[in-house]
């Protein structure tokens, strides 16, 4: 695997890990035997065994059609219905993917809607695409989640006004429940092509299903390699022995630190393209663990940028935090710093060095400083940022989250608290019972 986990700066001793061995075995058995709460939503655990290859082939054909005929793909969804896809697309593509000239980009621009309730955002989006060729992928299990449902109502009208009902139905794709729900019913009535959100996989664990795979494939990322990395991770991380399973070591480290009063985990990265990986990770862990008045609060920072804002707090603030550093060992692009005769910026001592080398030393210096500041640090290192390792990382985080949740004594697959704001909002809006 291209993933390594390092806990040498965690302040955790070996005997503390040994105390966790039995808890890990129990959590492993609960997860794999599907005997614990939420087991009906663990289809992601062994996805390779029941992966629908026929649907996947159809998905790749649809992605090719979109690439050949669209200027824009609009992905409508919220939470797990868009974060995973956006994380992968932004991590693996050009940093300025949507700004590349059309004749130099092998896929349509991809924009996201239905993840907020901003009329300004939607109005601005329609201004951008009004004279362009557009496909829409609406993603919702039920079809009634407020944010994407409102957005899709507008986009359905936009597409029908632009292409007519017959033309619109060929350009609207619904990723939804296999047989029920209002979006599935609407798709049947209007003749939209549909892809299935499996019944046994919840939204925040769904990036390796059509929920994430279709938008990712449209952006011309190799989804075969993503799945290969995930499926091999699935095999490797089945070992119930804590010291032989780095995924479980990460889960155990989190719980040991939490029991020591470290109730905030900060995911740090040193590459701007990973910022939405952090957003996906925050939803995965926040929605999975934050219940029953328990849970580690997931936060994130983008270094070195945030060293000039949040760095002070992390270095000298309240000691209820630990950091998990997501580090990429090798990048596919880099620049070398040149030599200036006048050296007014005092950078000649770096001439001949790459920017990545400077970034690496920034990480090492920050790690040393924060550890001296009594902040436990964990490190997850990827050999390189590519499709295979991204698939592996997605599975690594998903399984560690499930194990961590069971160790805490919570169901990591439901989200009862999310319903409270909806109930209050619907009451204030006067929604009929």
């Amino acid at each position: 695997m291209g993933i390594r986990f390092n806990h040498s700066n965690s302040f955790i001793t070996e005997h503390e890990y040994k105390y966790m061995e039995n808890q890990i075995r129990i959590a492993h058995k609960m997860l794999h035997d599907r005997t614990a709460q939420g087991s009906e939503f663990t289809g992601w655990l062994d996805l390779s065994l029941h992966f629908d290859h026929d649907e996947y082939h159809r998905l790749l054909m649809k992605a090719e059609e979109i690439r050949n005929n669209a200027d824009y793909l609009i992905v409508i969804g919220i939470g797990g219905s868009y974060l995973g896809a956006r994380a992968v697309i932004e991590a693996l593509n050009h940093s300025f993917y949507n700004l590349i000239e059309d004749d130099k980009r092998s896929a349509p621009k991809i924009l996201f809607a239905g993840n907020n309730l901003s009329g300004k955002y939607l109005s601005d989006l329609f201004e951008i695409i009004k004279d362009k060729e557009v496909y829409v992928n609406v993603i919702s299990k039920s079809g009634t989640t407020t944010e994407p449902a409102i957005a899709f109502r507008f986009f359905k009208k936009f597409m029908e006004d632009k292409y007519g009902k017959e033309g619109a139905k060929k350009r609207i794709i619904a990723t939804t429940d296999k047989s029920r729900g209002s979006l599935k019913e609407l798709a049947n009535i209007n003749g939209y092509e549909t892809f299935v959100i499996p019944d046994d996989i919840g939204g925040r664990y769904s990036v390796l299903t059509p929920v994430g795979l279709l938008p990712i494939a449209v952006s011309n990322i190799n989804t075969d390699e993503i799945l290969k990395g995930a499926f091999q991770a699935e095999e490797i991380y089945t070992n119930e022995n804590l010291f032989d399973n780095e995924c479980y070591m990460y889960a155990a480290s989190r719980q040991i630190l939490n029991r020591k009063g470290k109730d905030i985990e900060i995911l740090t990265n040193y590459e701007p393209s990973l910022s939405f990986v952090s957003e996906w990770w925050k939803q995965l862990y926040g929605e999975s663990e934050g219940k029953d008045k328990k849970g580690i609060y997931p936060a994130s920072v983008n270094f070195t940028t945030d060293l000039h804002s949040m760095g002070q707090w992390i270095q000298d603030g309240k000691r209820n935090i630990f950091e998990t550093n997501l580090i990429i060992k090798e990048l596919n692009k880099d620049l070398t710093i040149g030599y200036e005769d006048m050296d007014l910026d005092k950078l000649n001592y770096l001439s001949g060095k790459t920017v990545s080398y400077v970034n690496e030393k920034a990480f090492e210096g920050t790690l040393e400083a924060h550890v001296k500041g009594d902040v436990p640090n964990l490190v997850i290192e990827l050999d390189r940022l590519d499709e295979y390792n991204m698939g592996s990382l997605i599975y690594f985080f998903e399984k560690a989250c499930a194990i961590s949740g069971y160790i805490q004594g919570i169901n990591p697959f439901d989200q009862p608290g999310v319903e409270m704001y909806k109930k209050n909002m619907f009451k204030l809006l006067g929604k009929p019972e």
Side-chain angles (χ1 to χ4, degrees):
M1 294 295 294
I3 298 176
R4 289 171 297 280
F5 176 67
N6 186 326
H7 58 91
S8 60
N9 289 295
S10 66
F11 307 147
I12 301 173
T13 61
E14 185 173 358
H15 76 264
E16 290 178 287
Y17 282 114
K18 286 187 175 296
Y19 292 152
M20 293 293 292
E21 283 187 289
N22 192 48
Q23 294 176 60
I24 288 288
R25 286 196 182 94
I26 292 171
H28 171 91
K29 184 174 176 58
M30 290 166 61
L31 181 62
H32 281 268
D33 289 353
R34 292 178 163 88
T35 57
Q37 284 187 324
S39 61
E40 66 272 24
F41 295 111
T42 54
W44 57 271
L45 181 65
D46 50 6
L47 183 61
S48 65
L49 300 181
H50 50 89
F51 188 76
D52 190 334
H53 292 276
D54 291 336
E55 182 181 50
Y56 179 59
H57 177 72
R58 183 166 59 86
L59 181 151
L60 294 179
M61 297 292 289
K62 177 58 70 171
E64 183 179 12
E65 175 192 324
I66 297 170
R67 284 198 302 273
N68 291 334
N69 294 284
D71 298 314
Y72 284 89
L73 170 66
I74 308 300
V75 180
I76 300 175
I78 195 168
S81 294
Y82 94 103
L83 280 170
R86 188 165 186 178
V88 175
I89 290 168
E90 297 206 4
L92 298 182
N93 273 309
H94 192 286
S95 297
F96 305 99
Y97 173 84
N98 280 340
L99 298 180
I100 300 173
E101 295 176 11
D102 291 346
D103 60 349
K104 296 180 180 178
R105 185 172 16 81
S106 59
K109 298 175 183 179
I110 299 177
L111 297 175
F112 297 86
N115 51 65
N116 58 59
L117 288 170
S118 170
K120 179 182 185 303
Y121 182 95
L122 284 174
S123 297
D124 290 347
L125 182 50
F126 284 121
E127 286 183 16
I128 293 293
I129 66 172
K130 62 182 179 181
D131 298 321
K132 304 296 183 179
E133 296 299 323
V134 179
Y135 275 69
V136 171
N137 179 203
V138 55
I139 306 169
S140 176
K141 186 77 168 173
S142 65
T144 58
T145 303
T146 306
E147 293 88 345
I150 288 175
F152 184 55
R153 178 171 285 203
F154 283 106
F155 271 96
K156 179 175 179 292
K157 183 178 186 305
F158 171 84
M159 296 295 282
E160 290 178 353
D161 288 347
K162 185 176 179 68
Y163 296 107
K165 286 199 171 185
E166 282 300 308
K169 78 176 186 180
K170 297 176 182 178
R171 289 174 171 265
I172 296 174
I173 306 101
T175 306
T176 188
D177 190 88
K178 183 177 182 178
S179 58
R180 61 184 183 273
S182 64
L183 181 56
K184 176 61 177 175
E185 183 178 358
L186 190 64
N188 289 342
I189 291 170
N190 288 282
Y192 305 149
E193 185 165 4
T194 61
F195 294 95
V196 175
I197 303 175
D199 286 338
D200 57 357
I201 300 178
R204 57 189 178 273
Y205 291 84
S206 67
V207 63
L208 299 174
T209 75
V211 169
L213 292 176
L214 178 59
I216 292 167
V218 169
S219 77
N220 218 14
I221 290 171
N222 188 335
T223 50
D224 288 350
E225 281 296 303
I226 290 176
L227 291 170
K228 180 180 177 181
F231 293 164
Q232 290 192 1
E234 178 185 308
E235 180 180 350
I236 288 168
Y237 298 134
T238 55
N239 193 329
E240 68 174 13
N241 296 311
L242 173 59
F243 290 97
D244 296 325
N245 190 325
E246 292 186 313
C247 174
Y248 289 3
M249 286 292 286
Y250 171 56
S253 299
R254 300 178 75 249
Q255 291 304 316
I256 293 169
L257 290 169
N258 188 218
R259 293 169 187 181
K260 292 182 172 185
K262 309 299 183 183
D263 52 16
I264 299 174
E265 179 177 11
I266 303 175
L267 186 70
T268 73
N269 67 74
Y270 285 76
E271 282 299 325
S273 60
L274 293 174
S275 63
F276 261 89
V277 172
S278 296
E279 294 303 312
W280 170 77
W281 173 88
K282 284 193 290 190
Q283 192 222 358
L284 176 65
Y285 281 81
E287 201 167 58
S288 295
E289 291 190 325
K291 57 197 69 164
D292 299 335
K293 311 307 179 195
K294 301 175 185 178
I296 301 167
Y297 184 83
S300 66
V301 289
N302 302 310
F303 286 166
T304 62
T305 304
D306 289 337
L307 284 172
H308 297 262
S309 57
M310 291 299 293
Q312 174 62 41
W313 197 99
I314 295 171
Q315 185 70 45
D316 288 336
K318 191 174 180 181
R319 301 296 79 176
N320 61 341
I321 61 173
F322 66 97
E323 288 180 278
T324 297
N325 300 276
L326 182 55
I327 301 299
I328 311 301
K329 194 66 177 173
E330 178 185 317
L331 294 170
N332 62 356
K333 292 181 180 179
D334 207 350
L335 291 170
T336 301
I337 300 168
Y339 181 87
E340 292 276 346
D341 288 338
M342 296 185 69
D343 195 28
L344 293 177
D345 53 13
K346 308 301 180 186
L347 290 178
N348 274 353
Y349 77 100
L350 294 175
S351 63
K353 303 288 195 303
T354 64
V355 176
S356 292
Y357 175 82
V358 178
N359 202 23
E360 179 184 341
K361 299 310 165 188
F363 159 62
E364 292 172 3
T366 303
L367 177 69
E368 182 180 357
H370 289 181
V371 170
K372 286 185 178 178
D374 200 29
V375 180
N377 266 253
L378 309 173
V379 178
I380 298 171
E381 184 181 84
L382 275 65
D383 281 341
R384 61 190 62 85
L385 191 57
D386 60 14
E387 290 91 340
Y388 176 87
N389 283 309
M390 183 58 66
S392 301
L393 184 68
I394 288 167
Y395 190 85
F396 176 97
F397 276 138
E398 288 180 346
K399 192 166 194 189
C401 184
I403 292 293
S404 183
Y406 281 148
I407 292 172
Q408 279 190 84
I410 55 96
N411 177 356
F413 304 113
D414 66 354
Q415 53 280 337
V418 174
E419 303 305 317
M420 184 59 70
Y421 95 87
K422 294 180 183 178
K423 180 179 179 181
N424 293 341
M425 178 179 67
F426 293 152
K427 181 179 179 181
L428 291 168
L429 290 170
K431 181 180 180 180
E433 294 292 336

